[in-house]
Amino acid sequence: MPEKMKAAVFRGEKDIHIEEVPVPEAGPGEAIVRTTLTTICGTDSHIWRKEYPVREGRIVGHEPAGVIHELGVGVSGYQIGDRVVVGAITPCGACFYCMNGQWAQCAGYDNKWEPIGGWRLGNSMDGAQAEYFRVPYAQANLARIPDGLSEEDVLLVTDIASTGISGAESAGVSIGDTVVVYAQGPIGLCAAAGAKLMGASLVIGVDGLDYRLEMAKKMGADVVINYRAQDPVAEVKRLTEGRGADVAIEALGKQETFENSLRSVRPGGIVSSLGVYAGKLEVPLEPFIYGIGDVKVVSTLCPGGKERLRRLMEMVKHGRLNLRQLLTHRFRLEQIEEAYDLFSNQRDNVFKVAITP
Amino acid sequence: MPEKMKAAVFRGEKDIHIEEVPVPEAGPGEAIVRTTLTTICGTDSHIWRKEYPVREGRIVGHEPAGVIHELGVGVSGYQIGDRVVVGAITPCGACFYCMNGQWAQCAGYDNKWEPIGGWRLGNSMDGAQAEYFRVPYAQANLARIPDGLSEEDVLLVTDIASTGISGAESAGVSIGDTVVVYAQGPIGLCAAAGAKLMGASLVIGVDGLDYRLEMAKKMGADVVINYRAQDPVAEVKRLTEGRGADVAIEALGKQETFENSLRSVRPGGIVSSLGVYAGKLEVPLEPFIYGIGDVKVVSTLCPGGKERLRRLMEMVKHGRLNLRQLLTHRFRLEQIEEAYDLFSNQRDNVFKVAITP
Amino acid sequence: MPEKMKAAVFRGEKDIHIEEVPVPEAGPGEAIVRTTLTTICGTDSHIWRKEYPVREGRIVGHEPAGVIHELGVGVSGYQIGDRVVVGAITPCGACFYCMNGQWAQCAGYDNKWEPIGGWRLGNSMDGAQAEYFRVPYAQANLARIPDGLSEEDVLLVTDIASTGISGAESAGVSIGDTVVVYAQGPIGLCAAAGAKLMGASLVIGVDGLDYRLEMAKKMGADVVINYRAQDPVAEVKRLTEGRGADVAIEALGKQETFENSLRSVRPGGIVSSLGVYAGKLEVPLEPFIYGIGDVKVVSTLCPGGKERLRRLMEMVKHGRLNLRQLLTHRFRLEQIEEAYDLFSNQRDNVFKVAITP
Amino acid sequence: MPEKMKAAVFRGEKDIHIEEVPVPEAGPGEAIVRTTLTTICGTDSHIWRKEYPVREGRIVGHEPAGVIHELGVGVSGYQIGDRVVVGAITPCGACFYCMNGQWAQCAGYDNKWEPIGGWRLGNSMDGAQAEYFRVPYAQANLARIPDGLSEEDVLLVTDIASTGISGAESAGVSIGDTVVVYAQGPIGLCAAAGAKLMGASLVIGVDGLDYRLEMAKKMGADVVINYRAQDPVAEVKRLTEGRGADVAIEALGKQETFENSLRSVRPGGIVSSLGVYAGKLEVPLEPFIYGIGDVKVVSTLCPGGKERLRRLMEMVKHGRLNLRQLLTHRFRLEQIEEAYDLFSNQRDNVFKVAITP
């Protein structure tokens, strides 16, 4: 039994590096997972830039696949050695928020709500860019990987696929809808995939980078718009007999894309907001256009829990969703500094990096 | 058969007065209704103030009860003399918007969409503050008044009850929800009634005028807050174990009430916006609080069509909804100038005025 | 600390009597509650009659209020002495069924599904007609009683109120619906209350006993029909312009009431089935009437978990729901045989019995 | 202008033949369409066999594509010569049922409800297996064929695609669901396609004929089961870790497939019934298994109206749905007797026949 392990620790601005730390131990209801594959999220880049606060010394990372190494008291139905994924959101399943179906806001057994309190790994507790990590509320969060699927196949269900697809789900995409997705980074790509999976007849992907628009076509977009070359709002209207899209999904978190989303939807349409906004948001209104035209604005965080992960892995297993193609770069855990630098600066047409301990 | 009638005509700022004009005639699919009772809407006051544009010479008004006077070719199942109400929104039932269930945005048979195009009476065609008015798409819009109910009982289903209650419906109020309603004018009062009718356990009404808070208790609020005396956001949190309301309904259309609504809902809550905003709206965000906390913002316009009106009249008939108590003042059509002055300046604790031709 | 307690134990047909048994102890994640009030359910009567199988020696009962006596390892946020209710369904919050929102089917941590496996107390484990009882998955199931409410006020949220109201919820009752409820026993009465709480304009209660129809008027019905005096289907049609009700709720579990429910709904209506059927059910179809007329048939079991209980207690607290009036008879635990006899034989116009240890 | 036309007229059992009849004329709100392509439905075969009653002399057929030939008074926004499809259901858009979203039950302007009254063509009025046909409520029912699509591409949106897909919609198929479809005739094939389009991870098609199972794989099924070789219920359970499918769609209308559907779904699952049952239906229940295990049974008829048709044609246009492959045989209108014989007896591996006037 190892006592020490390597882990990526946040120490300050642009300083996440490998340290040797104790292997965690499982308390009641918890599990320890030996990480076999993990990745870096846009949120981790915010931590790295010191734009999102975590305490110094925190092990970062929240998108892991691995093998069960230890099971705490009271966890049932699992075996040491089971291959699992654990989501970015680790809900308790038993608090006010979980029992209202809002797992990302999980307040936990101790009922202490914090913003997106369901995001614990690499945020309010140590995370998964490490050789081992501790899983809170393990009974609700250990999702077995189906036979025949590799860790690379399923890794991205842990956050971006779940979040992106939930953008389409929250908008209630219906058979025959036109859906435009603003920004084709990893989450926007998954939102486009989600819109297609739910029955959109036309999915439009918007971005300013051609390599992203190329990937958009592989992930779900029927039509792509490079906003540097074309006015996306005008183009969406042109494609919809002048009406606008039924649904716009915002996957960036900027005033401009939010406004474009509002302007792209038809009267009575829905804007689904996945982006993380850094400041105040303005809702542009023509004077006395009466409300915002029956428009709904829904924001969504990553749904959580093992059943969500199981469903998404089923989608991968039956060929509905190819997430592996987004793992464009590979690193060993020891190379974590290089990985953060490449990913955070979006170099070399990176989508997501695969990190192996 | 009369050839001339009295009608309230818009002629310029603060100039709506009675003129003698021809009685309208019914084209195919239309009906002529002889008005027996009507009222003035907040929107009419905007027209009166020249804040909302209608063309000079327009007969105003969109909340009528009356008696069928003439039926155009192709209208079936009605008799001359039937007592009816007609809603503010007169959907065609057959266009893209109607067939997607968004009647307020009705583009009509000629498929010419305009903002809230479903609002025709007293807006894009002559209205109902007149002895007679023309009903477009009559088949979809003539709603018979049940026996035993008076025009006064049901008049307000035509707009404010439908709009206000839809604010609760759009939010999907559930058994056991806490709902706060900002502003207790006629629409906010109906929103509070709607929240209670849908199963809210606690309805909180907020306003700055005591006579409105008094009426709020009669219409649906369990608790009222005068924002001049108490911080409504703090009070809502106090009443909900610190979490915030499940639903906030905004029924005024100001930046402040919109912000208070956002701040009053719990994580994962819903803001239902009924107000008519006159300018840009700012969505306040703490930097990096990740989206807007899973919050949904839904805006709603008045649903339309005779089936909606039938359902609301059933609510009145079976004692679920007392709208008559909002008719605080009575005028004859000839007194329309006096009525506009009193209602638009909110004098004498007026809620709604009843106007009889 | 007591070591022995009195409990109602099933020993055979019509043989449930008090025995002295050990006080249970709390394992990890569990709690022990000292019972202060409990009641007998129709299902308990089936056990008493040996129509529903539980093993000999089982302590029965699943509708308790009490005081927390002991908390197992890992249960957080509660204090010894807290007043609580625990529902008939005690979901784990973390299995496939719970995470799909179907708590009554909870398979538990060990993932062993059985029909309505979420019903554990007095079924698959010892129950609550005893001085103390053990609460599985305590974190998800201990619901604090709000200050100001007595055990008598809230006792019936644990099963019949939750089940009955869910019959209206599953049917999606909307503003202005007509709802007919077949059978006005405790669950049917709560279904009628639920339909009214969700916005039905007209609630029709059907039964054959006048004292039940009297109570129906107090609980939610606008109109009552004694099927011995009137054909309920014809009467429902008469009250709905010949169409039929929008929703019918079946709360008995007989072929006849099921058929009457199907025949009472309008085309496109919904039958919500709460009854427990003892044999095959026949769906009557006129030859080639094309399906069953767009009708939906939904069946519902009691939703579970502390958040459901919290919401229902809020309804009681704010005067929306009067459950106390159904507690028509009172017994001490020692009188349990007398209580079973009275309740199971529906003597003396009993609705529910209150049992105090 | 022709005065006479050829039409397929029902004259008695197995007697539908071509007669020369007057070309119909358009009344107010109606249109005349010159048929360019039509087909035979299973329901037409029931008429042919005299199992479903239509009056003698009725022109049959309800699945047409064509060209607008005449527009009645009050129809707006169309041109003579526009290429259109018209659905099997021709709702008025303005009655109780239409305004509650249940178009198949449309009672029409004259408010005379009959079972599936929304089905008018070839049922309660003359139909579309003719050179010309009359379209009631034309404003709501003329759906323009998008440029670039042929009549063969879109013909089957008029009934089977809409009906089949609605089977998946009514069941609320979600991302990651397992869906089993019983019977892979044209409607079952479209139901399988619909389940896949809505995000099912695994679609299982069941039939007894290998050529149908072959087509099932092309239309949407991931796995097919020939019930002559395998027990479909056992196989569904094996594919779902013993639980059963989330959704079963019944597309035949037999007691056996209905029972298999009920037995194939997991606790809390949904059975969506599309079949047309000829007699009483038995719902098998194990004694006291408490209701039917939280199962919902939803039945669905073909949704109607031009917007539904538009949405489905968009699906075809963007390559989501290949309906043309089901047109396995071609006939001229004059060969209608041969076409009925082949289709009604399911000879030569026929799925659907294309009939050209």
Side-chain angles (χ1 to χ4, degrees), chain C residues 264-278:
Chain C
S264 295
V265 292
R266 65 168 174 83
I270 296 182
V271 172
S272 182
S273 170
L274 289 170
V276 175
Y277 301 90

Side-chain angles (χ1 to χ4, degrees), chain C residues 50-324:
Chain C
K50 223 173 164 175
E51 294 167 347
Y52 179 88
V54 302
R55 74 162 176 74
E56 205 208 301
R58 175 65 75 223
I59 301 172
V60 289
H62 54 265
E63 296 165 285
V67 168
I68 296 178
H69 174 72
E70 186 193 344
L71 290 165
V73 171
V75 184
S76 190
Y78 294 93
Q79 302 293 329
I80 303 297
D82 283 355
R83 290 194 313 146
V84 294
V85 287
V86 175
I89 301 293
T90 49
C92 75
C95 70
F96 171 89
Y97 293 98
C98 286
M99 291 192 131
N100 276 301
Q102 283 156 329
W103 296 281
Q105 301 294 341
C106 174
Y109 281 8
D110 56 0
N111 198 30
K112 287 192 182 139
W113 180 84
E114 294 169 54
I116 41 169
W119 172 30
R120 292 185 173 89
L121 292 178
N123 180 24
S124 55
M125 60 182 277
D126 279 334
Q129 290 169 10
E131 290 179 291
Y132 297 84
F133 66 97
R134 192 161 52 100
V135 183
Y137 309 117
Q139 194 71 42
N141 290 297
L142 295 170
R144 258 191 224 88
I145 300 173
D147 292 344
L149 294 185
S150 71
E151 279 82 345
E152 296 212 344
D153 290 331
V154 298
L155 181 68
L156 300 184
V157 303
T158 56
D159 189 346
I160 64 155
S162 185
T163 301
I165 291 172
S166 77
E169 292 171 309
S170 296
V173 171
S174 298
I175 298 274
D177 273 354
T178 295
V179 179
V180 58
V181 183
Y182 279 94
Q184 292 294 297
I187 286 184
L189 289 165
C190 290
K196 186 163 185 178
L197 287 170
M198 291 185 74
S201 56
L202 178 64
V203 177
I204 305 166
V206 181
D207 205 292
L209 297 169
D210 285 335
Y211 79 94
R212 294 188 168 214
L213 297 173
E214 281 307 302
M215 184 62 87
K217 286 187 204 159
K218 292 183 194 163
M219 287 291 288
D222 298 281
V223 172
V224 295
I225 300 173
N226 188 323
Y227 67 79
R228 298 181 201 274
Q230 284 180 294
D231 172 4
V233 175
E235 189 60 14
V236 168
K237 298 227 162 161
R238 194 187 63 80
L239 288 164
T240 53
E241 305 178 359
R243 277 192 305 267
D246 300 288
V247 169
I249 303 180
E250 202 286 340
L252 185 64
K254 301 281 183 205
Q255 176 69 26
E256 190 185 354
T257 44
F258 183 73
E259 281 199 34
N260 277 344
S261 295
L262 275 175
R263 292 196 162 113
S264 295
V265 292
R266 65 168 174 83
I270 296 182
V271 172
S272 182
S273 170
L274 289 170
V276 175
Y277 301 90
K280 286 209 178 191
L281 200 57
E282 276 194 353
V283 181
L285 295 172
E286 308 309 318
F288 273 95
I289 292 302
Y290 274 70
I292 39 175
D294 263 348
V295 166
K296 292 179 172 40
V297 179
V298 301
S299 73
T300 311
L301 294 170
C302 181
K306 69 185 180 190
E307 170 60 8
R308 172 69 171 182
L309 300 173
R310 186 193 69 79
R311 286 178 167 262
L312 294 179
M313 288 190 286
E314 287 294 304
M315 298 301 280
V316 173
K317 180 174 158 188
H318 296 291
R320 299 287 196 272
L321 194 58
N322 179 345
L323 297 171
R324 191 174 183 154

Side-chain angles (χ1 to χ4, degrees), chain A residues 168-195:
Chain A
E169 292 171 310
S170 296
V173 171
S174 299
I175 298 275
D177 274 354
T178 295
V179 179
V180 57
V181 184
Y182 279 93
Q184 292 293 299
I187 285 182
L189 289 165
C190 290

Side-chain angles (χ1 to χ4, degrees), chain C residues 14-35:
Chain C
K14 300 203 181 166
D15 183 4
I16 289 176
H17 62 250
I18 297 299
E19 299 186 6
E20 197 159 75
V21 298
V23 171
E25 286 172 39
E30 299 181 336
I32 304 300
V33 168
R34 177 169 59 78
T35 312

Side-chain angles (χ1 to χ4, degrees), chain A residues 43 46 52 96-97 102 105 113 243 266-268 277 279-283 285 290 294-295 297 299 301, chain B residues 43 52 96-97 102 105 113 243 266-268 277 279-283 285 288 290 294-297 299 301:
Chain A
T43 323
H46 287 305
Y52 179 88
F96 171 89
Y97 294 98
Q102 283 157 328
Q105 302 293 342
W113 181 84
R243 276 192 306 267
R266 63 168 174 84
Y277 302 90
K280 284 209 181 192
L281 201 56
E282 276 194 352
V283 181
L285 296 173
Y290 275 70
D294 263 348
V295 166
V297 178
S299 73
L301 293 171
Chain B
T43 323
Y52 178 88
F96 171 89
Y97 294 99
Q102 284 157 328
Q105 302 293 340
W113 181 84
R243 277 191 306 268
R266 65 168 173 84
Y277 302 90
K280 286 209 180 190
L281 201 57
E282 276 194 352
V283 181
L285 295 173
F288 273 95
Y290 275 70
D294 262 349
V295 166
K296 291 180 171 39
V297 178
S299 74
L301 294 170

Side-chain angles (χ1 to χ4, degrees), chain D residues 18-343:
Chain D
I18 297 298
E19 299 187 6
E20 198 159 76
V21 299
V23 170
E25 286 172 39
E30 299 181 336
I32 305 300
V33 168
R34 176 170 58 78
T35 312
T36 55
L37 197 70
T38 188
T39 182
I40 300 175
C41 183
T43 323
D44 295 325
S45 291
H46 287 304
I47 294 172
W48 183 74
R49 289 206 171 86
K50 222 173 164 174
E51 293 168 346
Y52 179 88
V54 302
R55 74 163 176 72
E56 205 209 300
R58 174 65 74 223
I59 300 172
V60 288
H62 55 265
E63 298 165 284
V67 169
I68 295 177
H69 174 72
E70 186 192 346
L71 289 164
V73 170
V75 185
S76 189
Y78 294 93
Q79 303 292 329
I80 303 297
D82 284 353
R83 291 193 313 145
V84 294
V85 286
V86 175
I89 301 293
T90 49
C92 75
C95 70
F96 171 89
Y97 294 99
C98 287
M99 291 194 132
N100 276 301
Q102 284 157 327
W103 296 282
Q105 301 294 340
C106 174
Y109 281 7
D110 56 1
N111 196 29
K112 288 192 182 141
W113 181 84
E114 294 169 54
I116 44 169
W119 172 30
R120 293 185 172 88
L121 292 177
N123 180 26
S124 55
M125 61 181 277
D126 280 334
Q129 291 169 11
E131 290 179 292
Y132 297 84
F133 66 97
R134 190 161 53 99
V135 182
Y137 309 117
Q139 194 72 40
N141 289 296
L142 294 170
R144 258 190 222 88
I145 300 173
D147 291 346
L149 294 184
S150 72
E151 279 82 345
E152 296 212 343
D153 290 331
V154 298
L155 180 68
L156 300 184
V157 304
T158 56
D159 188 346
I160 63 155
S162 186
T163 301
I165 290 171
S166 77
E169 292 171 308
S170 296
V173 171
S174 298
I175 298 276
D177 273 354
T178 295
V179 179
V180 56
V181 184
Y182 279 93
Q184 292 294 298
I187 285 184
L189 289 164
C190 289
K196 187 164 187 177
L197 286 169
M198 290 185 75
S201 55
L202 178 64
V203 179
I204 305 167
V206 182
D207 206 291
L209 297 169
D210 285 335
Y211 79 94
R212 293 189 168 212
L213 296 173
E214 280 308 302
M215 185 61 89
K217 286 188 206 160
K218 291 183 195 164
M219 287 292 287
D222 298 280
V223 172
V224 294
I225 300 173
N226 188 323
Y227 66 79
R228 299 181 201 275
Q230 285 179 294
D231 172 5
V233 175
E235 189 61 13
V236 168
K237 298 226 162 162
R238 195 186 64 77
L239 287 164
T240 53
E241 306 177 0
R243 276 192 306 267
D246 300 289
V247 170
I249 304 179
E250 202 285 340
L252 186 62
K254 300 283 185 205
Q255 176 69 27
E256 190 186 353
T257 45
F258 184 73
E259 281 199 33
N260 277 344
S261 295
L262 275 176
R263 293 196 162 112
S264 295
V265 292
R266 65 168 173 84
I270 297 182
V271 173
S272 181
S273 170
L274 290 170
V276 175
Y277 302 90
K280 285 210 178 190
L281 202 56
E282 276 193 353
V283 180
L285 294 173
E286 308 310 318
F288 272 96
I289 292 303
Y290 274 70
I292 40 175
D294 263 349
V295 165
K296 292 179 171 41
V297 178
V298 301
S299 73
T300 311
L301 294 170
C302 181
K306 69 185 180 188
E307 170 60 7
R308 171 70 171 183
L309 300 173
R310 186 194 68 79
R311 285 178 168 263
L312 294 178
M313 288 191 285
E314 287 294 304
M315 298 301 280
V316 173
K317 181 174 158 188
H318 295 292
R320 299 287 195 276
L321 193 58
N322 179 344
L323 296 171
R324 191 174 183 154
Q325 62 187 330
L326 295 178
L327 294 173
T328 48
H329 294 71
R330 277 153 186 78
F331 294 92
R332 280 170 292 107
L333 181 58
E334 291 80 1
Q335 299 170 291
I336 196 78
E337 291 176 76
E338 196 182 328
Y340 266 89
D341 182 63
L342 176 113
F343 179 75

